[in-house]
Amino acid sequence: MANNPIEDEKRVFITGNEVVVWAAFAAGAKMLYGYPITPQNEIMHYWTKYAPEYNRDFLQTEDEISAGFYTIGAVLGGVKTFTATAGPGNTLFQEPMSMAEMMRIPTVSIITQRGGPSTATVIYSQQEVTMTCFGANGEGFRIVYSTADHQELYDYTIKAFNTAWKYRFPTFVLGDGYQAKMKESVEMYNPEKRGVRMVESKESIGTKGTPGIDRPPAHLRNTYNTEEELYEVVMDLAKSYEDVAPEITEYQSDKCDDAEIVLISHGIVFRAVREAAQILREKGIKVGYFRPITLRPFPEKELKEKTKNVKKIIVIESAYGQLKKLITDALYGSSSEILELYKPGMGLTSDEIIEKAMEEVSVKCQL
């Protein structure tokens, strides 16, 4: 029975949901807990199709709350596992993720965004940014990657397992309905053969030895009964998070140094922004772009540096200002005018972005 499904590098043409499954295999995930919800259903479909062949397991839970807690339990038992959900499932997911944040349990969650509020559409949106970044009932000490294409979906799903287990914060990979359903070319690889050492999973419960004698005691708590206890724990979590944030933060930018306008987006919308920026440059308009890859921790310092001399910023998103909230917080005190192009629950084209940018520079041009 084969145990490693990806030995040699190969280029394939598959959907985003398939990409997630193969990336999780490549990362060494042994178990998937999940509950079906569109548009991430095929993650479970493909996992259950191939898992027996590679000695992996799956359990369909009764709901997303259970999926999250099962995932936590398996991780505590030393099993490298993950889960996936979308929309209302992400809402339910926040309960177990609160516990994971407080106890620093390295969970990996794939979020395939769909439109809201409530059940709304089952297709596409970028409207789960706020919930994925800050949804739990604490301070939101978590890591969130936002992917723009299928290759990144593969790369960052693998990376999420190492990030979660190395830093021990719940880690999310943010995708969307378009990515989930469409096919793209992807280079699949075994990370170990590229020199990426996967962090091993270790059990936190049921370990051998006597606590305090031949091994450290495990303080597995998420209940604190006094204000002083909670304050101390939260401040320790905050310090740990802020200490490692510079190692985790990622972003992408281009031509910001001489730009009059900087376009900011994340995820799949970035693809239209990148194309629009290139076309605008060819028309002689000084446009640059900035893309946060980690939405938490947010590349605040880098954004300030890249936009310090910029007159106007346009935030472009398939939501109603969820990314802009992160931008305005990061750029508090900046003299740049921050504008927006919102299409909640709908895709954006490069033509729409060009038109918006042209309005701001008052230049007439034949598109």
Side-chain angles (χ1 to χ4, degrees):
M1 178 179 292
N3 196 38
N4 195 336
I6 302 171
E7 286 294 340
D8 300 316
E9 297 196 10
K10 56 184 176 181
R11 183 161 289 280
V12 296
F13 188 64
I14 54 178
T15 67
N17 280 338
E18 289 175 275
V19 169
V20 169
V21 170
W22 289 109
F25 281 149
K30 302 297 184 186
M31 184 79 189
L32 167 63
Y33 295 99
Y35 185 79
I37 187 166
T38 307
Q40 67 83 45
N41 282 333
E42 291 85 0
I43 293 177
M44 289 185 289
H45 296 170
Y46 287 113
W47 180 272
T48 54
K49 178 179 178 180
Y50 297 114
E53 184 177 349
Y54 300 112
N55 197 27
R56 318 293 170 104
D57 291 312
F58 169 73
L59 178 66
Q60 179 179 320
T61 58
E62 58 267 45
D63 56 35
E64 289 86 352
I65 296 176
S66 298
F69 281 118
Y70 272 113
T71 301
I72 288 171
V75 170
L76 290 174
V79 179
K80 189 169 283 189
T81 185
F82 77 113
T83 186
T85 190
N90 196 6
T91 305
L92 296 176
F93 224 52
Q94 298 310 315
E95 173 67 20
M97 290 305 108
S98 298
M99 180 178 174
E101 286 180 327
M102 180 62 89
M103 297 173 68
R104 294 193 66 171
I105 298 169
T107 55
V108 171
S109 307
I110 311 298
I111 306 299
T112 307
Q113 297 173 92
R114 55 186 265 182
S118 191
T119 56
T121 74
V122 298
I123 305 168
Y124 163 80
S125 83
Q126 292 190 315
Q127 294 175 280
E128 297 184 51
V129 167
T130 301
M131 182 162 58
T132 306
C133 290
F134 302 100
N137 72 334
E139 304 296 334
F141 296 120
R142 53 180 64 184
I143 296 156
V144 180
Y145 293 111
S146 178
T147 61
D149 57 37
H150 283 26
Q151 189 62 57
E152 288 190 354
L153 203 53
Y154 187 86
D155 297 341
Y156 282 101
T157 297
I158 292 173
K159 192 169 192 174
F161 282 93
N162 265 359
T163 302
W165 263 263
K166 179 179 180 181
Y167 298 106
R168 300 193 70 84
F169 286 105
T171 301
F172 298 78
V173 178
L174 203 61
D176 60 64
Y178 289 168
Q179 288 174 282
K181 301 295 184 180
M182 71 181 182
K183 288 188 173 183
E184 279 188 346
S185 179
V186 177
E187 188 76 32
M188 297 205 305
Y189 56 86
N190 182 327
E192 300 277 2
K193 289 191 173 181
R194 285 196 175 187
V196 179
R197 184 175 175 274
M198 299 307 298
V199 180
E200 292 184 7
S201 178
K202 296 180 180 179
E203 68 273 15
S204 301
I205 56 176
T207 53
K208 296 179 180 178
T210 303
I213 297 177
D214 48 13
R215 67 171 175 83
H219 296 290
L220 300 174
R221 294 177 62 194
N222 76 325
T223 302
Y224 299 93
N225 297 321
T226 69
E227 294 175 358
E228 290 77 10
E229 268 190 313
L230 178 61
Y231 169 80
E232 185 176 337
V233 169
V234 171
M235 293 305 286
D236 284 346
L237 282 171
K239 184 176 187 313
S240 297
Y241 189 80
E242 290 166 3
D243 284 348
V244 301
E247 300 176 24
I248 300 169
T249 302
E250 294 188 43
Y251 72 99
Q252 191 174 359
S253 69
D254 191 33
K255 295 182 173 59
C256 292
D257 292 343
D258 68 339
E260 295 177 5
I261 296 179
V262 166
L263 310 175
I264 303 180
S265 66
H266 75 100
I268 200 168
V269 173
F270 168 70
R271 296 158 65 147
V273 165
R274 180 174 52 196
E275 181 177 309
Q278 180 180 346
I279 294 171
L280 287 163
R281 276 279 171 177
E282 290 169 357
K283 295 179 182 297
I285 300 169
K286 292 183 177 179
V287 171
Y289 63 72
F290 186 93
R291 171 205 170 199
I293 296 174
T294 49
L295 300 182
R296 289 220 75 199
F298 194 80
E300 179 178 323
K301 178 182 174 184
E302 294 82 1
L303 177 61
K304 283 181 177 174
E305 177 63 27
K306 293 293 182 182
T307 59
K308 61 184 179 183
N309 299 319
V310 175
K311 295 178 182 176
K312 293 187 178 184
I313 291 168
I314 304 177
V315 181
I316 301 142
E317 55 180 311
S318 297
Y320 198 76
Q322 298 197 23
L323 175 63
K324 190 180 177 184
K325 290 175 185 172
L326 300 177
I327 304 298
T328 51
D329 282 355
L331 293 182
Y332 179 74
S334 168
S335 60
S336 303
E337 183 181 6
I338 303 177
L339 307 164
E340 67 274 337
L341 176 56
Y342 297 156
K343 288 186 72 178
M346 296 183 68
L348 281 141
T349 67
S350 57
D351 283 350
E352 291 171 308
I353 298 163
I354 291 169
E355 183 178 1
K356 176 66 176 177
M358 298 291 277
E359 288 174 3
E360 296 304 326
V361 294
S362 301
V363 175
K364 292 183 179 180
C365 181
Q366 187 68 38
L367 296 178

